[in-house]
């Protein structure tokens, strides 16, 4: 397979990968609120949809390394995700929504980690800029949030779940064009094993890396769970809420368009340090409950707090993990970051937001500060800092 064909196929899939997430992250809490769930129940549903990833991600990613069937796992997961979100439309009451929501999240969980590893490996193999592929995923998130924000000005909030299901259905269809597992032609690989995976994961450098990057990303938990509710409480329209999310992703896309330059200039570890530093500033200013104009400005820091941290994370894993266990290692990182820490942050954001309102973002700033300090330690101990 040529580099052009590989890039086109993977870019096409990334262009629909986060359409559903672009709708879900800003607007699922509003759908749950429309279903008459309390603040605590909303936080628990969102948190448990993250927590279920703790089991779903490592199962999917380890099986991908064990069998070499990464593409099949992505396809099955994508069609299962579509079916589960469609079923969620018919659920009412806290418990049914919680159960089916967790099922949908479990089916979705392995798709992004496996796609990320495919993208970073393929980019290195074919000499393609990883960010030029990854930016299409961010564009899909942007399209989802903008389209949903505009539609929700004229259609009822209870339609949110149908929009998410439709987006996941489109994504499932496009999985069929993904490159086959042998497309990289990397040659024979030594079969992986759980002891080998954990030997790498528990090394001192990797432990510090996992803590720095995952704590930095988990600082977004309050925004993901109650960002739209916070904006709504400040009196912003649903269209404005969508625009705030869109600004965040737009600058993230611009960063990914030039990600190769950022990586060559700073290296993976420094990118994580810069990203977590942006998080400190972003959450501190949000905690001040600023006016709309300032809110738009600090939303642009998403390119750093998420984007640069993510870019550094992906390159660090590529640099430091053997080929035959990258899916598994990406899975373990996702479990810690998007599963354990993110779900804990999102679950606690309910009572935290209820008690502190917008000032709860000061707590998120402290998370970023811890991550930043760990990233500085990683700079001193990592053998691959450049």
């Amino acid at each position: 397979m040529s580099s052009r064909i590989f890039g086109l196929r993977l870019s096409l899939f990334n262009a629909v990968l986060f359409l559903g997430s672009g709708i879900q992250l800003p607007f699922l809490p509003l759908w749950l609120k429309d279903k008459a769930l309390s603040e605590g129940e909303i936080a628990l549903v969102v948190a448990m949809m993250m927590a279920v990833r703790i089991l779903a991600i490592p199962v999917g990613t380890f099986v991908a390394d064990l069998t070499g069937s990464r593409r099949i796992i992505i396809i099955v997961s994508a069609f299962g995700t579509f079916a589960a979100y469609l079923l969620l439309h018919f659920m009412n009451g806290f418990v049914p929504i919680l159960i089916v929501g967790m099922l949908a999240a479990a089916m979705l969980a392995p798709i992004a980690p496996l796609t990320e590893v495919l993208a970073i490996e393929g980019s290195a193999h074919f000499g393609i800029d990883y960010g030029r592929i990854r930016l299409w995923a961010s564009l899909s998130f942007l399209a989802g949030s903008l389209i949903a924000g505009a539609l929700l000005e004229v259609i009822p909030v209870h339609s949110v779940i149908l929009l998410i299901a439709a987006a996941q259905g489109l994504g499932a269809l496009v999985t069929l064009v993904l490159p086959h597992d042998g497309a990289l032609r990397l040659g024979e690989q030594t079969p992986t094993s759980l002891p080998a995976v954990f030997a790498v994961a528990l090394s001192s450098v990797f432990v510090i890396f996992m803590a720095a990057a995952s704590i930095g990303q988990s600082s977004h938990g309050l925004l993901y769970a109650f960002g739209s509710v916070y904006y709504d409480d400040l009196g912003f329209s649903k269209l404005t809420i969508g625009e705030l999310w869109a600004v965040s992703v737009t600058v993230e896309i611009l960063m990914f368009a030039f990600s190769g330059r950022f990586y060559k200039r700073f290296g993976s570890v420094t990118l994580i340090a810069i990203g977590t530093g942006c998080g400190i500033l972003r959450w501190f200013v949000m905690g001040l409950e600023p006016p709309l104009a300032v809110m738009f400005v600090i939303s642009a820091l998403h390119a750093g707090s998420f984007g640069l941290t993510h870019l550094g994370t992906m390159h660090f894993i590529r640099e430091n993990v053997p080929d035959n266990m990258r899916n598994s290692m990406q899975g373990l990182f996702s479990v810690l970051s998007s599963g354990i820490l993110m779900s804990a942050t999102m679950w606690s954001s309910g009572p935290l937001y209820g008690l502190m309102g917008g000032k709860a973002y000061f707590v998120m700033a402290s998370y970023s500060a811890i991550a930043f300090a760990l990233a500085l330690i990683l700079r001193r101990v990592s053998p691959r800092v450049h």
Side-chain angles (χ1 to χ4, degrees):
M1 177 179 291
S2 69
S3 61
R4 176 180 171 80
I5 295 299
F6 177 87
L8 284 174
R9 289 190 180 188
L10 203 55
S11 294
L12 177 60
F13 179 63
N14 273 274
V16 298
L17 179 61
F18 290 135
L19 275 176
S21 297
I23 304 168
Q24 178 171 323
L25 281 178
F27 298 114
L28 182 64
L30 297 182
W31 180 78
L32 294 170
K33 183 179 179 181
D34 184 70
K35 287 287 188 177
L37 272 62
S38 67
E39 287 185 349
E41 288 172 337
I42 292 172
L44 185 59
V45 169
V46 175
M48 291 305 294
M49 288 179 71
M50 299 297 295
V52 73
R53 297 161 63 88
I54 295 171
L55 293 176
I57 290 176
V59 169
T61 54
F62 182 70
V63 171
D65 276 335
L66 197 63
T67 65
S69 302
R70 175 166 52 198
R71 181 175 180 270
I72 296 300
I73 293 171
I74 293 174
I75 292 172
V76 171
S77 297
F79 279 94
T81 300
F82 163 65
Y85 273 105
L86 190 60
L87 179 62
L88 189 57
H89 169 68
F90 299 100
M91 297 297 104
N92 290 291
F94 169 65
V95 173
I97 288 174
L98 176 65
I99 293 172
V100 179
M102 290 175 64
L103 174 63
M107 295 304 301
L108 178 64
I111 298 175
L114 291 174
T115 304
E116 290 282 19
V117 177
L118 177 60
I120 199 73
E121 285 184 352
S123 298
H125 179 73
F126 289 112
I128 304 171
D129 189 338
Y130 160 76
R132 300 295 174 91
I133 294 176
R134 180 55 174 78
L135 67 82
W136 289 101
S138 300
L139 275 170
S140 69
F141 183 96
L142 172 62
S145 62
L146 281 177
I147 293 170
L151 286 176
L152 289 173
E153 291 292 316
V154 296
I155 64 175
V157 172
H158 65 72
S159 301
V160 163
I161 209 68
L162 288 177
L163 295 177
I164 297 173
Q168 300 296 357
L170 178 61
L173 290 175
V174 180
T175 60
L176 301 177
V177 307
L178 280 173
H180 288 272
D181 295 313
L184 303 186
R185 296 193 180 96
L186 297 177
E188 294 295 324
Q189 295 181 345
T190 303
T192 192
S193 65
L194 283 176
V197 170
F198 281 108
V200 174
L202 295 177
S203 65
S204 58
V205 170
F206 212 81
V207 166
I208 297 171
F209 153 72
M210 293 265 280
S214 59
I215 292 173
Q217 295 293 21
S218 70
S219 72
H220 295 76
L222 177 62
L223 178 74
Y224 293 163
F226 278 89
S228 292
V229 174
Y230 177 44
Y231 296 148
D232 188 59
D233 289 343
L234 291 176
F236 303 155
S237 71
K238 291 181 177 62
L239 179 58
T240 298
I241 293 172
E243 289 171 343
L244 283 165
W245 286 89
V247 166
S248 298
V249 182
T250 299
V251 292
E252 174 192 324
I253 291 167
L254 291 174
M255 184 281 296
F256 278 126
F258 299 97
S259 65
R261 297 182 184 182
F262 282 108
Y263 174 65
K264 289 178 182 178
R265 171 66 180 83
F266 297 107
S268 59
V269 178
T270 302
L271 285 173
I272 295 172
I274 296 172
T276 53
C278 288
I280 299 172
L281 178 60
R282 182 184 187 185
W283 308 133
F284 179 80
V285 175
M286 282 195 73
L288 299 176
E289 302 182 7
L292 179 59
V294 176
M295 198 71 80
F296 272 111
V297 173
I298 62 171
S299 292
L301 288 175
H302 192 72
S305 64
F306 169 78
L308 292 179
T309 304
H310 178 80
L311 182 64
T313 297
M314 293 306 303
H315 279 292
F316 188 92
I317 291 174
R318 180 185 60 79
E319 293 165 352
N320 293 277
V321 178
D323 295 351
N324 65 331
M325 61 180 71
R326 284 183 187 151
N327 293 310
S328 298
M329 202 60 62
Q330 177 67 30
L332 287 177
F333 172 78
S334 297
V335 164
L336 179 61
S337 177
S338 301
I340 297 172
L341 293 182
M342 185 67 79
S343 61
T345 303
M346 295 177 81
W347 176 79
S348 64
S349 66
L352 190 64
Y353 183 76
L355 178 66
M356 302 177 65
K359 291 181 174 56
Y361 283 101
F362 292 145
V363 179
M364 300 300 104
S366 71
Y367 285 14
S368 292
I370 293 170
F372 178 73
L374 289 168
L376 294 183
I377 295 173
L378 184 62
R379 275 183 53 83
R380 295 181 62 87
V381 301
S382 176
R384 304 196 64 128
V385 174
H386 63 279

